[in-house]
């Protein structure tokens, strides 16, 4: 994940995707298994290792989805975000990433529902709150957007980007 992250930050998305794909090849196949299955196996002596591997596997799928999205390979990205979500249903990161693609495809109400769920999973995550606020603003829900931006500012009062977005909402929809 570290190498894919460095490549991703440097804008080398094909390289990042290769690192993620290589990582997925070296982990056990978790098809048909998710975190909920692991919770039922709490007496298994290897549970800690398996849990770490499933978490790592999920992050690799999410990172691969991000790299593929940056390459314009939306269908492939969607598959990897969904796999990351299947493995760890309560992980909001792939939900936010998938919602962005859904929103861009015109599946706005589904994307907003997914973003609301992501915010419910982690109300203190400012990125999820901001994404929900952006989606609400773009669909004309100024009050909802202002509420999300206000939540972000309550957690991160120095966030100048959110201050500007909130000011725009308040000026545009008095």
């Amino acid at each position: 994940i570290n190498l894919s992250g460095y490549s991703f930050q440097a804008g080398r998305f094909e390289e990042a995707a290769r690192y993620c794909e290589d990582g997925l090849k070296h982990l056990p196949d978790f098809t048909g298994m998710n975190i909920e299955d692991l919770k039922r196996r709490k007496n298994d002596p290897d549970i800690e290792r398996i849990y770490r591997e499933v978490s790592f596997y999920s992050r690799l799928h999410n990172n691969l989805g991000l790299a593929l999205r940056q390459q314009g390979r939306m269908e492939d990205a969607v598959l990897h975000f969904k796999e990351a979500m299947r493995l760890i249903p309560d992980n909001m990161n792939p939900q936010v990433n998938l919602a962005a693609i859904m929103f861009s495809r015109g599946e706005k109400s589904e994307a907003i529902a997914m973003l609301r769920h992501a915010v419910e999973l982690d109300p203190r995550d400012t990125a999820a709150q901001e994404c929900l606020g952006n989606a609400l603003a773009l669909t004309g829900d100024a009050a909802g957007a202002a509420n999300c931006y206000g939540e972000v500012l309550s957690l991160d009062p120095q966030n100048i980007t959110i201050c500007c977005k909130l000011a725009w909402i308040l000026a545009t929809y008095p």
Side-chain angles (χ1 to χ4, degrees), residues 8 19 22 34 42 57 74 81 117 133 138 143-144:
F8 194 83
Y19 283 128
D22 287 346
N34 68 21
K42 60 185 168 205
Y57 199 68
M74 298 306 173
F81 292 141
H117 184 257
L138 290 169

Side-chain angles (χ1 to χ4, degrees), residues 146-166:
N147 185 51
C148 287
Y149 296 150
E151 286 296 318
V152 173
L153 288 176
S154 73
L155 297 167
D156 182 9
Q158 304 301 315
N159 191 324
I160 192 71
T161 301
I162 296 300
C163 288
C164 292
K165 288 180 180 185
L166 184 56

Side-chain angles (χ1 to χ4, degrees), residues 63-130:
N63 286 359
L64 181 52
L66 288 169
L68 294 169
R69 183 178 72 186
Q70 289 301 118
Q71 294 175 47
R73 296 172 53 192
M74 298 306 173
E75 292 306 316
D76 293 331
V78 165
L79 292 174
H80 288 283
F81 292 141
K82 286 182 176 181
E83 180 62 8
M85 291 166 54
R86 185 193 66 76
L87 289 163
I88 304 181
D90 291 344
N91 184 351
M92 45 100 7
N93 291 318
Q95 292 183 35
V96 170
N97 295 329
L98 179 58
I101 291 175
M102 293 169 65
F103 194 89
S104 70
R105 290 180 171 170
E107 302 168 38
K108 293 179 168 70
S109 61
E110 297 90 343
I112 288 171
M114 188 172 285
L115 288 168
R116 287 187 195 283
H117 184 257
V119 167
E120 287 173 12
L121 291 172
D122 189 355
R124 299 188 54 78
D125 187 278
T126 58
Q129 286 278 7
E130 180 180 2

